[in-house]
Amino acid sequence: MGFFKTDMKRLSSKTTKQKTSQQENQLKINLKENLAYIHETLGKSSDIVTREFRIGRQGHIQAAVLYTDGLTDTDAIHNFIMESLMLDIQGTALEQELSGQQDVLHTIQEVILTVGEIQEVSDWNQLYDDLLSGNAILLINGSSACLSLGTKKWKERGVTEPEAESVVRGPREGFSENLRVNTALVRRKINDRNLWLESKKIGKVTKTQLAIMYLKGIANEKIVGEVKSRLDRIDTDSVLESGMIEELIQDKTFTPFPTVYTTERPDVVAAQILEGRVAILLDGTPFVLITPASFVQFFQSPEDYSNRSDISTLIRLLRYMAFFLTLLAPSLYIAVTTFHQEMIPTPLLISLAAQREGVPFPAFIEAIVMEVTFEILREAGVRMPRAVGQAVSIVGALVLGTAAVDAGIVSAAMVIVVAITAISSFVLPNYSMATSIRLLRFPLMGLAASFGLFGISAGMTVLTLHLCSLRSFGVPYMVPFAPFIPSDQKDAVFRVPKWAMFTRPRLISQQNVEREKTPPPKPDPLSEE
C-alpha cells in the first residue's frame, strides 16, 4: 500500500506543478504589470515599441499596442488599429456600450478592428512568438488575454532572375527570402485545389517558418509521411538555411552525392511537384528542397522542356559526356602516361615525352598541383567582388598556366587536360552534383597513379555500387536505371517528344500515374499527296 500512496503523491505533485506552470504562463489582468513583465523579459530592447492610449473620447478603457520596429507595418497600426479605437468610435453608441461591457476584447475583435488577421492569445509563449515575428499585440486593462494582429511587413529582396540556374529560354523569375512570396510563386504555376501547403515552425530559438507543398492525390502518401516524420524529429536551436535541413533529413550522411535536390526556380519546383515529389520551403532562403531525388534529376535543366526534343536530347548527352570528362580525364591521362604508354600513338607519345623532358615531377604530382591551383582560383573568383572576381580568375589561370609551363613545373598537355576538366564541370546544371564530382576526382587520380587503368576500373566499380545502394526517402537513387524501368526511360538520358511523356515516374507517383493524353501529331496531308 505504501508504494501506491507514494505513486499517488508523485502524480498529484506532477499535476500541481503543471497547473502552476500553466498559471504562470497566463497573462495578468493588470495592464501595467503585463507591460512591465514584457519589457523586463525582453531586456528593454529598443526595437520593441509600446504605445499606451485610452479607447474613445471618454477614455474609460486603458489599452496598449506593442510591435517590433522593422518587422511591422506601422501604417496599418496607425490607420486600422489606433485610429479605429481612439477616433472612429468617438460619440457613437458603440463607445457607450463598450464602456459598460465586461468582454471588451471580444467586442473590439468582432466589431471595431478592420485588420484581416486577428487571433486571441492568452499565454506568454504565443505572445512573444507573434510579437517577435512582426504581429502587433493589443493589450486591454482588465483582460487576461490579448489580441495578436497580422501586421507583418519588412524590407525584402524582390523577385529577380536566379544567378545559379540561368537559362536561355524560359521563365526569368526566382525565389526570394520571403516564404509567402515563394509559396505564391508556386501557386501561380499550379492553380489547383489539390496543391496542399502545410506549415510548421522549426528551431527552438529561431522558430523559422517552414512549408511543405505537394499535390494531394499525386504525391505518394508514404513519401509525404516520411518527410513529415523526419522534419518532426529535428530538435535543434536554430535553422537559418535549407542546407541545415538537408543534412538532418537526408538518408545517408556519408556520401559525396546529394540525395536532396535544391533549386531556386519556381518553374522547377512546380514541375517536380507535378511529378509527385514534395517541396520543402524555408523562410529566409531562396533555395527550396525537393524530395525524393534521383541521379538523373541532377542532369536535367528547365531549358530541356522549352526546346525541341532532339535539341534537348543532344544537350543532355553533352552533359553526360561532360560528367565523365570531369570525373575521369585527369585519371586517364595519369594512367596512360604512367603505365600504358603503348596505348598512345607514337607521334603523340614522342610529343608528350618532349614536353615532359624538363618536368621534375611525375604526372600525378603535376595533376594534383594544377587541380588544387585551379580550385583555389575558382573559390577566389567566387568570394571576390563581382567586378574583379571573373577578371582575376581568368587572368590568374592564364598567367599561372603559362608561367608553370615556361618554368618547367608542369607540361603543356597537363594544362590542357586540367582546363578541359574544369570547363566540363561547369556544364552540369546543378552545383551540388558538380561539387561532388570535383571531390571524387582526387581519389580516382590516386588510384590511377597507383594501379593504372585497373585502379580506375576498380574505383568506378565501387562508385557504381555505392550509387546503386543509395536511397532518397525510400526511392532508389539510380532509378530508372537500377531498377531498370522501361517506361521511365523517356526522360532519363534521352528526352522524347512532349506528346510521348504521358506517364509520371513510376516509383515517385504511384496513385495518379497518367499525366496527359495528347495524341501524337498526324502527318502533313500535303506531304502524302
Side-chain angles (χ1 to χ4, degrees):
M1 292 296 293
F3 171 77
F4 290 105
K5 288 182 179 180
T6 305
D7 193 50
M8 289 298 293
K9 287 181 180 179
R10 289 177 179 174
L11 183 61
S12 176
S13 175
K14 185 177 180 180
T15 306
T16 305
K17 289 181 179 179
Q18 290 178 349
K19 290 182 179 178
T20 305
S21 177
Q22 290 177 359
Q23 292 175 357
E24 291 178 352
N25 199 32
Q26 294 292 322
L27 274 70
K28 306 293 189 298
I29 296 178
N30 188 277
L31 176 62
K32 297 293 184 181
E33 292 182 6
N34 286 332
L35 292 178
Y37 183 76
I38 291 173
H39 290 303
E40 179 184 355
T41 52
L42 292 178
K44 298 181 180 179
S45 301
S46 59
D47 61 339
I48 304 299
V49 180
T50 304
R51 173 68 164 89
E52 297 185 54
F53 62 96
R54 291 180 179 269
I55 296 177
R57 181 182 300 173
Q58 299 178 2
H60 295 301
I61 302 173
Q62 297 179 2
V65 171
L66 293 91
Y67 61 91
T68 305
D69 190 20
L71 299 179
T72 309
D73 187 359
T74 55
D75 292 336
I77 294 176
H78 298 156
N79 299 330
F80 303 115
I81 299 175
M82 298 183 65
E83 186 175 343
S84 299
L85 294 173
M86 297 176 69
L87 301 176
D88 292 348
I89 67 170
Q90 285 187 9
T92 63
L94 183 60
E95 182 180 3
Q96 299 292 335
E97 180 183 350
L98 196 63
S99 61
Q101 281 190 2
Q102 295 294 328
D103 193 5
V104 178
L105 203 69
H106 181 73
T107 305
I108 292 175
Q109 178 180 356
E110 295 292 333
V111 181
I112 300 177
L113 293 181
T114 57
V115 181
E117 182 184 349
I118 303 179
Q119 181 183 3
E120 187 172 325
V121 175
S122 59
D123 65 281
W124 289 111
N125 293 332
Q126 185 64 39
L127 184 148
Y128 288 130
D129 289 347
D130 292 348
L131 175 62
L132 298 175
S133 63
N135 282 1
I137 303 298
L138 176 63
L139 294 167
I140 304 295
N141 189 36
S143 176
S144 60
C146 66
L147 293 180
S148 175
L149 312 173
T151 56
K152 299 177 182 177
K153 184 180 179 181
W154 50 77
K155 297 293 182 182
E156 60 188 29
R157 183 173 63 92
V159 178
T160 57
E161 183 178 358
E163 297 182 2
E165 298 177 83
S166 59
V167 295
V168 177
R169 182 178 180 180
R172 291 290 192 271
E173 57 187 9
F175 288 123
S176 67
E177 284 74 18
N178 190 313
L179 176 63
R180 193 53 61 218
V181 172
N182 295 342
T183 56
L185 288 173
V186 180
R187 287 275 185 196
R188 284 182 56 197
K189 303 289 184 183
I190 307 176
N191 185 12
D192 190 84
R193 63 180 180 179
N194 292 319
L195 179 60
W196 285 18
L197 189 148
E198 301 180 16
S199 301
K200 63 175 297 183
K201 290 184 178 180
I202 194 166
K204 292 181 290 187
V205 177
T206 57
K207 295 181 176 62
T208 311
Q209 285 285 346
L210 179 141
I212 305 171
M213 298 188 77
Y214 61 94
L215 269 175
K216 183 69 174 179
I218 292 180
N220 192 329
E221 293 296 335
K222 293 182 179 179
I223 296 177
V224 175
E226 183 65 22
V227 171
K228 295 179 183 177
S229 175
R230 296 189 187 186
L231 290 174
D232 291 337
R233 289 200 298 265
I234 295 178
D235 186 12
T236 182
D237 288 340
S238 63
V239 174
L240 302 175
E241 215 279 329
S242 57
M244 299 179 180
I245 298 179
E246 180 181 356
E247 280 194 89
L248 295 171
I249 66 174
Q250 62 185 357
D251 286 64
K252 200 166 185 178
T253 306
F254 301 104
T255 177
F257 295 98
T259 55
V260 178
Y261 190 83
T262 59
T263 181
E264 53 179 335
R265 296 184 60 91
D267 56 333
V268 173
V269 173
Q272 300 296 338
I273 290 177
L274 288 169
E275 284 192 345
R277 292 181 168 89
V278 181
I280 303 172
L281 299 90
L282 188 71
D283 191 28
T285 175
F287 291 94
V288 176
L289 306 179
I290 298 175
T291 59
S294 60
F295 182 75
V296 298
Q297 190 177 353
F298 293 91
F299 293 86
Q300 297 171 352
S301 171
E303 201 171 9
D304 293 349
Y305 308 96
S306 301
N307 295 321
R308 299 197 318 268
S309 60
D310 51 353
I311 302 298
S312 301
T313 299
L314 177 63
I315 296 175
R316 191 172 292 181
L317 289 173
L318 189 66
R319 293 194 197 110
Y320 281 101
M321 185 179 70
F323 165 78
F324 286 107
L325 276 176
T326 305
L327 184 64
L328 297 174
S331 305
L332 290 174
Y333 178 82
I334 293 170
V336 170
T337 56
T338 306
F339 294 98
H340 310 283
Q341 293 90 348
E342 68 278 0
M343 299 179 63
I344 307 175
T346 304
L348 179 59
L349 181 61
I350 294 173
S351 176
L352 292 176
Q355 294 176 23
R356 291 188 45 81
E357 185 177 0
V359 177
F361 306 111
F364 175 68
I365 301 299
E366 276 188 90
I368 290 292
V369 169
M370 290 303 297
E371 290 288 351
V372 171
T373 302
F374 184 81
E375 294 297 332
I376 293 173
L377 288 171
R378 186 205 298 257
E379 287 301 313
V382 171
R383 310 301 167 198
M384 292 182 69
R386 295 182 183 276
V388 296
Q390 293 182 354
V392 169
S393 59
I394 295 173
V395 173
L398 290 173
V399 171
L400 286 177
T402 305
V405 172
D406 292 340
I409 300 176
V410 296
S411 62
M414 180 59 73
V415 174
I416 296 173
V417 170
V418 172
I420 291 174
T421 303
I423 295 172
S424 299
S425 65
F426 291 111
V427 178
L428 301 181
N430 189 273
Y431 180 78
S432 300
M433 180 60 72
T435 306
S436 302
I437 303 308
R438 286 161 54 188
L439 176 66
L440 291 170
R441 206 162 51 217
F442 292 97
L444 284 175
M445 287 163 56
L447 290 173
S450 303
F451 307 103
L453 292 178
F454 176 76
I456 296 176
S457 302
M460 291 299 294
T461 302
V462 172
L463 190 62
T464 304
L465 293 175
H466 174 70
L467 284 170
C468 293
S469 69
L470 292 178
R471 287 180 173 269
S472 177
F473 288 81
V475 177
Y477 192 61
M478 290 302 293
V479 65
F481 301 134
F484 185 79
I485 303 175
S487 61
D488 290 350
Q489 301 300 320
K490 58 184 176 297
D491 195 23
V493 177
F494 303 95
R495 208 277 278 178
V496 300
K498 184 65 179 175
W499 52 263
M501 301 174 64
F502 50 84
T503 58
R504 294 183 176 87
R506 198 183 70 176
L507 292 183
I508 305 298
S509 175
Q510 298 181 351
Q511 300 187 59
N512 188 357
V513 179
E514 194 171 271
R515 178 156 42 189
E516 61 185 50
K517 297 181 179 179
T518 306
K522 296 181 180 180
D524 188 2
L526 295 178
S527 62
E528 294 181 357
E529 294 179 1

